[in-house]
Amino acid sequence: MATMSLNKINKIYPNGVQAVFDFNIDIEDGEFIVFVGPSGCGKSTTLRMIAGLEEISSGTLKIDDQVINDMAPKDRDIAMVFQNYALYAHMTVYHNMAFSLTLRKEDSDVIHERVMWASGILGLTPYLNRRPKELSGGQRQRVALGRAIVRDPKVFLLDEPLSNLDAKLRGQMRKELKELHHRLGVTMIYVTHDQIEALTLADRIVVMKDGYVQQIATPEELYAKPNNLFVANFIGTPPMNFFDAKIDLDGYVIINALKVDISHTEIFKALKQKGYFGKEIVLGVRPENIRIAKPFKGATKQEFPTTIQLYELLGSDALVHFNIGKKNVISKINAREILHPGDEAVFSFDVEHLYYFDKETEVSIYD
Ligand code: ADP
């Protein structure tokens, strides 16, 4: 069990590339932290610095208040699980899991007890005599986790551990990982480029871009209150729709020829106070906050006419594509409303759930 803190951690590779800038976080004992961001944003570099596989250029890394910047990886009491989990092909599941303890010259009774405990937790007991090639992808991934948990480390680091699995198995392993974390109560740091994995697994998510932390928040906070355009765009599928827009004194946000009434919202007052009247902003709307339906009697001025471009059934939901001006927009609605390409329809925005961004700084504007 361990807390961890990263204080102004930077990484400059010998070739001059700065991969991480001033990374700060205090991680609580037992937290499940996920680093997420597009490829090359510095997630693995940060993880590898924590593991001790990469030197820290500057800043302080602590576990339980002890500075470990210069501590050898083997002394850090950290276990790491990689994407290509590289099991020993000639060894049984049992011996794969026992390996690190054997190296440490643990007592064979202790080793046996640890392996049986881990295999029980991971549902691997029936497979202990098999070799990796006689296992499914999910089982192999569990053995890789087993190798890490037998050591009973203070902290687990996981670098895209599920990306070699197919979508269904990934979903199942996500659930198992979450349960494993719950059971072990151990601090975990997990790296992924997949925002769904981040949302489903994390207690807190760290969103990174170009070596900089963009936001650290719970999944709920991140979805509801992204700090900036990048986070807003990165979190959520399908992504948020964005429009160049203008705030009008009379209480409207104007997108092309549309005047969307926001006069009664809290944010309208805030936009006024912050000097955004008459200014260009970026408006964000999540697909689930755009309603679209066949034209109906009693439609108000805030229900705007359009033509359906595409209707994609997802099961209980459907994605509806249409255009505002030249811009393709996606709405996510209940699939009970069936629409077809070419159909006339009306759409409206849930004005209590619109997002506003400063056009220059791309920072979110909240009330
Ligand atoms: P991520 O894990 O988010 O995909 P990485 O941490 O692997 O990103 O990489 C961050 C940046 O550092 C990238 O620009 C990458 O090209 C660079 N980088 C990674 N490893 C090295 C290295 N050994 N030498 C130089 N640059 C590197």
Side-chain angles (χ1 to χ4, degrees):
M1 303 288 268
T3 61
M4 183 179 286
S5 92
L6 282 75
N7 189 8
K8 292 199 177 153
I9 296 280
N10 285 277
K11 175 68 187 181
I12 305 171
Y13 280 109
N15 65 357
V17 171
Q18 180 149 5
V20 179
F21 296 81
D22 279 341
F23 194 124
N24 294 307
I25 188 172
D26 287 317
I27 299 173
E28 283 174 34
D29 184 23
E31 253 194 310
F32 199 135
I33 297 288
V34 176
F35 296 168
V36 73
S39 178
C41 71
K43 309 179 291 290
S44 299
T45 301
T46 309
L47 204 70
R48 291 169 60 80
M49 286 193 282
I50 295 171
L53 303 175
E54 210 55 79
E55 205 177 304
I56 297 172
S57 305
S58 69
T60 315
L61 173 65
K62 288 184 188 170
I63 290 189
D64 285 339
D65 292 330
Q66 185 189 4
V67 177
I68 58 158
N69 284 41
D70 300 320
M71 190 185 273
K74 67 178 174 45
D75 298 328
R76 292 187 184 199
D77 209 358
I78 287 175
M80 190 148 172
V81 180
F82 296 96
Q83 176 178 345
N84 47 357
Y85 26 83
L87 301 176
Y88 301 108
H90 61 287
M91 287 187 196
T92 60
V93 168
Y94 185 100
H95 287 109
N96 263 286
M97 296 219 285
F99 189 70
S100 67
L101 300 179
T102 313
L103 273 189
R104 270 206 240 159
K105 300 196 168 46
E106 288 281 0
D107 196 83
S108 63
D109 289 348
V110 174
I111 296 179
H112 185 69
E113 192 189 315
R114 299 292 308 166
V115 171
M116 294 316 289
W117 169 78
S119 65
I121 285 185
L122 295 163
L124 288 170
T125 314
Y127 310 106
L128 287 172
N129 290 321
R130 292 205 193 168
R131 286 174 214 285
K133 70 171 190 304
E134 299 163 323
L135 300 174
S136 70
Q139 289 164 342
R140 276 183 224 153
Q141 189 57 59
R142 266 183 242 140
V143 178
L145 286 169
R147 275 199 311 200
I149 71 173
V150 290
R151 291 173 43 196
D152 194 17
K154 278 186 172 170
V155 179
F156 270 99
L157 305 180
L158 302 114
D159 194 351
E160 306 245 5
L162 307 186
S163 52
N164 285 341
L165 307 177
D166 65 46
K168 192 166 175 198
L169 203 48
R170 254 201 326 263
Q172 186 190 329
M173 287 302 294
R174 265 202 321 253
K175 184 172 148 272
E176 288 182 17
L177 253 180
K178 187 99 181 155
E179 281 164 5
L180 182 67
H181 173 252
H182 195 70
R183 230 169 134 166
L184 300 177
V186 68
T187 311
M188 289 193 177
I189 307 177
Y190 186 104
V191 159
T192 180
H193 62 274
D194 179 346
Q195 50 101 23
I196 302 268
E197 265 181 20
L199 289 172
T200 49
L201 285 171
D203 291 321
R204 279 191 301 159
I205 298 173
V206 179
V207 184
M208 297 181 73
K209 181 195 170 210
D210 299 339
Y212 289 92
V213 172
Q214 304 291 305
Q215 187 165 5
I216 303 179
T218 64
E220 297 78 17
E221 280 171 349
L222 209 57
Y223 195 78
K225 290 200 129 189
N227 273 350
N228 58 36
L229 250 169
F230 175 79
V231 177
N233 188 33
F234 193 76
I235 302 288
T237 37
M240 199 182 270
N241 299 286
F242 294 104
F243 306 96
D244 286 324
K246 209 169 184 175
I247 306 296
D248 171 289
L249 257 178
D250 296 332
Y252 294 98
V253 55
I254 301 176
I255 318 162
N256 288 317
L258 301 185
K259 287 179 86 174
V260 179
D261 185 359
I262 56 165
S263 58
H264 53 286
T265 61
E266 288 296 318
I267 184 77
F268 181 64
K269 283 183 229 154
L271 289 164
K272 182 177 175 183
Q273 273 165 11
K274 292 177 184 173
Y276 283 101
F277 277 9
K279 257 176 111 172
E280 302 255 335
I281 53 123
V282 176
L283 182 75
V285 195
R286 291 211 185 272
E288 64 270 29
N289 296 323
I290 304 178
R291 284 179 297 266
I292 187 156
K294 296 186 185 100
F296 52 95
K297 254 196 199 163
T300 68
K301 271 193 180 160
Q302 290 294 299
E303 267 125 3
F304 306 101
T306 189
T307 308
I308 305 300
Q309 303 287 331
L310 188 67
Y311 181 88
E312 291 179 283
L313 184 64
L314 300 181
S316 61
D317 297 324
L319 301 181
V320 186
H321 298 240
F322 63 100
N323 288 343
I324 295 181
K326 288 202 175 108
K327 212 175 146 45
N328 184 256
V329 181
I330 300 181
S331 151
K332 188 171 172 184
I333 60 166
N334 192 301
R336 273 188 300 235
E337 182 79 31
I338 298 166
L339 297 160
H340 303 280
D343 281 358
E344 297 300 312
V346 290
F347 69 91
S348 60
F349 296 117
D350 178 353
V351 292
E352 299 294 343
H353 293 101
L354 299 179
Y355 293 83
Y356 301 83
F357 305 89
D358 187 290
K359 192 159 181 159
E360 270 162 42
T361 63
E362 301 192 348
V363 171
S364 297
I365 311 163
Y366 290 115
D367 50 10

